Amino acid sequence: MQPTGQLRGDAVRVAGDARQRFYDSRGYGRPLDGNEIELSRVEAAHLLFRGDLSGIALDADADPVGFERFFVESAAATDRFAVRYLVYADLRDRGFYLSPAREPWPGGSAGVPDAVDFVAYQRGSTPDTGDVKYPVQVVGERESLAAAGLAGRTLAVVDEESDITYFAATAGRIDGETDYEPPERLDGVLLSDRVVVWDAPDGLYERGFYGQPLTGRAAAVEGAVQLSLVEAASLAADGVLSLSASVGTAGDAPDTGAADRDGPAAAVVARGRAVEGERFDRRLAVYKRLREADAVPKTGFKFGADFRTYLDVETVDDLPHSEHLVRVVDADHRFSPREMSLDVRLAGGVRKEMVFALTAVEGGSDGMTPTDDGDAARDADVEWVSIGRLTP
């Protein structure tokens, strides 16, 4: 006959030969005095479901109840019990030993963030050895998920049909090997949402992969390159790009004094904020970090991202495939699991790594003066998080 358990507070105690039967041989619970062990509610429910416990008494004078009653009572008493149970049972079925990631259970000594629900040990490891394979954070499909601090966690997303999708979140810093120094001087014209450099040297596009040439059949103009506002703002902040004129809204005459008044970097940044709002500073900060890391960022519009990146560009004629999709989000951003899954699925479908750039711009864009030349972008903190699908 299988043993029964006794619910005490938020844990279930099992006596008899429970230590040998459950903890020593299969890593359930935590040992107490003698052969008694204590199980978390999720662990106890799993043993009930398997028939390894015959029942659990909900109080000292009550008869033991079976899985159905215990499951319902636990779901009422414990936050997110149902989704946590589903993930625990799935990983157990995959051959992992797990512990709750909190004291006094063995997993509480793993040093993982508070948001982690379980630690799954390396196959062949037990709670005694402490070799953690996956720090598992359980997320329901309709919950929100803080983007900050995700690196190092395994995300187990439970959808409305109780299917589980696993994601690995890792530190996603991008480092490239593109060896290109922009020219010392470029002259451009600031248009409504881009900058045109009329006499760009060949290497600006061909080797540095800046901008896009103005081309067409039977074109009589050579050397003209259109720069995006983030490209132009970065080059201007580095002292490379100057402006000979600025064009605002339709019908306005070109302003040949804007750059003289505020400087080219401030003029481009102000225009970026005017057309894009507060996102411009975050995107500019990430663009600059990527260029500083010798990677080449280009627009990720076709993939629903902010940037796609090339790590090693020698010439545009021999361009490799881009390696990453980068989405820029605020440092306080909260994902919906559906949003995150869509980004990761799309990146995987085009054979790229999905990287989120969590960007905290000092002071934000609100209240910044038009003369700000991008100091906020230069001083921004960026946390890189790569998220991909995982099969445990």
Side-chain angles (χ1 to χ4, degrees), residues 83-305:
V83 291
R84 291 170 55 244
Y85 171 80
L86 289 169
V87 172
Y88 182 91
D90 182 69
L91 289 171
R92 274 284 179 177
D93 288 346
R94 293 171 183 260
F96 292 98
Y97 290 173
L98 296 90
S99 295
R102 66 181 192 276
E103 296 290 353
W105 272 264
S109 60
V112 296
D114 291 342
V116 171
D117 293 279
F118 305 109
V119 293
Y121 302 100
Q122 298 271 4
R123 284 190 174 91
S125 295
T126 66
D128 285 333
T129 62
D131 296 329
V132 175
K133 176 69 172 177
Y134 300 118
V136 182
Q137 180 175 346
V138 179
V139 186
E141 178 186 350
R142 296 181 180 87
E143 297 178 52
S144 66
L145 177 66
L150 283 181
R153 301 183 201 174
T154 298
L155 306 175
V157 179
V158 183
D159 67 22
E160 64 180 355
E161 294 183 350
S162 300
D163 283 335
I164 303 168
T165 304
Y166 293 96
F167 299 91
T170 58
R173 179 174 174 82
I174 298 172
D175 291 302
E177 298 179 359
T178 300
D179 184 16
Y180 175 76
E181 289 292 333
E184 293 184 0
R185 181 176 176 82
L186 296 169
D187 294 310
V189 175
L190 175 60
L191 303 181
S192 60
D193 63 351
R194 64 203 64 221
V195 169
V196 176
V197 177
W198 293 111
D199 57 351
D202 291 341
L204 185 69
Y205 173 73
E206 294 295 333
R207 294 185 53 244
F209 207 7
Y210 281 94
Q212 185 73 21
L214 276 170
T215 59
R217 293 181 180 178
V221 176
E222 296 182 357
V225 171
Q226 303 175 84
L227 299 173
S228 71
L229 289 177
V230 289
E231 291 175 313
S234 178
L235 288 168
D238 291 340
V240 172
L241 177 68
S242 61
L243 298 176
S244 59
S246 172
V247 177
T249 58
D252 289 347
D255 183 352
T256 58
D260 292 334
R261 289 192 304 271
D262 304 327
V268 178
V269 168
R271 184 62 55 81
R273 292 172 182 162
V275 300
E276 193 173 339
E278 52 88 20
R279 289 187 66 249
F280 183 78
D281 287 276
R282 293 201 302 270
R283 293 180 65 244
L284 176 57
V286 172
Y287 181 91
K288 291 180 70 64
R289 295 300 189 282
L290 290 168
R291 280 287 184 181
E292 289 166 0
D294 294 328
V296 175
K298 299 295 286 183
T299 178
F301 173 79
K302 292 181 180 179
F303 305 102

Side-chain angles (χ1 to χ4, degrees), residues 4-5 54-55 62-63 75-76 129 184 190 232 265 284 297 310 335 347 351 357 390 392:
T4 60
S54 61
D63 292 332
T129 62
E184 293 184 0
L190 175 60
L284 176 57
Y310 299 86
F335 292 112
R351 293 176 295 178
L390 171 70

